[in-house]
Amino acid sequence: MRVIAGTAKSIKLDTISGDKTRPTTDRTKETLYNMIQYDVPDCIFLDLFCGSGAIGIEALSRGAKQAFFIENNKDAITVTKSNLKKTKLDDRAIVIKSDARSSIGELERYNTKFDIIFMDPPYNKSLEEDILLALEDSSLIHDKTIIIVEASKETEFEYLDKTSLHVYKEKKYKTSKHVFISKR
């Protein structure tokens, strides 16, 4: 796994051993960033369930103003911090050890609105629903916030029909998909 583009291009990133995280492949990451490339420069980025931090590090490398990394696995937090130092992007990063749902309340103390929120929760556990509903009621998003959920191809998002959020695009891969969500 490596940084695809930007100031840290080609730097190899570490991952944690075992199956506690499921790193996004370079090919999938490159496809994602091709879709959001014009939204990343100068954005405030949130990487929920950050694992090794690869998605948020890619955003910083491509010009994001700041990135927040949320992860509850202590080994993954250590790897994320190491990867940020290795890429020399740690001065624009805030790493928080917390579960993603609890972090929504914690992040409100920063008085920040995120331009892009990326989440890659464990598949098929419905964690994204709870977090999306919490984000909808939070002060963390604005009318143009892009929320991207990496999910299994089977994950449904019909519950958003009863909210102010809606799916405006999906990109399917072999076993997963990126779901793009914004306010109506």
Side-chain angles (χ1 to χ4, degrees):
M1 190 169 53
R2 62 184 171 82
V3 180
I4 309 269
T7 60
K9 182 179 179 176
S10 299
I11 295 177
K12 189 175 182 319
L13 299 175
D14 298 325
T15 60
I16 67 168
S17 57
D19 60 357
K20 297 275 186 197
T21 62
R22 185 184 18 78
T24 302
T25 66
D26 284 350
R27 177 171 288 201
T28 301
K29 184 169 56 172
E30 185 169 18
T31 301
L32 169 65
Y33 274 93
N34 285 341
M35 290 188 280
I36 63 171
Q37 64 185 325
Y38 301 112
D39 301 301
V40 173
D42 294 320
C43 80
I44 307 294
F45 194 95
L46 174 58
D47 189 351
L48 290 168
F49 303 94
C50 74
S52 63
I55 299 293
I57 287 170
E58 189 73 36
L60 288 171
S61 180
R62 291 173 182 246
K65 188 184 310 179
Q66 187 174 34
F68 288 71
F69 296 82
I70 308 297
E71 177 59 62
N72 68 355
N73 179 297
K74 68 180 175 63
D75 295 330
I77 286 285
T78 300
V79 170
T80 296
K81 288 179 177 178
S82 171
N83 283 335
L84 284 162
K85 279 189 185 355
K86 182 190 286 194
T87 56
K88 298 178 173 61
L89 296 168
D90 51 329
D91 61 327
R92 294 185 285 140
I94 295 174
V95 181
I96 300 170
K97 184 184 181 311
S98 176
D99 72 88
R101 175 60 184 91
S102 298
S103 73
I104 304 304
E106 292 173 42
L107 288 166
E108 292 198 339
R109 69 185 171 128
Y110 288 93
N111 293 322
T112 298
K113 290 196 182 291
F114 293 97
D115 301 302
I116 301 173
I117 298 173
F118 178 84
M119 71 174 91
D120 185 6
Y123 287 178
N124 303 318
K125 297 191 184 224
S126 300
L127 296 173
E128 61 281 328
E129 180 175 357
D130 192 32
I131 293 164
L132 287 168
L133 296 176
L135 283 170
E136 178 193 24
D137 293 333
S138 77
S139 64
L140 301 178
I141 62 174
H142 54 75
D143 289 342
K144 296 190 181 193
T145 298
I146 299 167
I147 302 169
I148 305 160
V149 181
E150 187 167 319
S152 71
K153 284 172 82 171
E154 301 78 37
T155 303
E156 299 292 336
F157 290 86
E158 283 82 19
Y159 57 86
L160 291 179
D161 293 344
K162 298 174 186 150
T163 71
S164 64
L165 301 173
H166 77 286
V167 173
Y168 68 91
K169 183 180 357 180
E170 273 190 12
K171 172 64 177 162
K172 293 186 179 180
Y173 306 97
K174 192 183 286 188
T175 60
S176 64
K177 63 184 175 181
H178 282 138
V179 179
F180 294 78
I181 299 165
S182 67
K183 283 193 166 187
R184 294 182 198 275

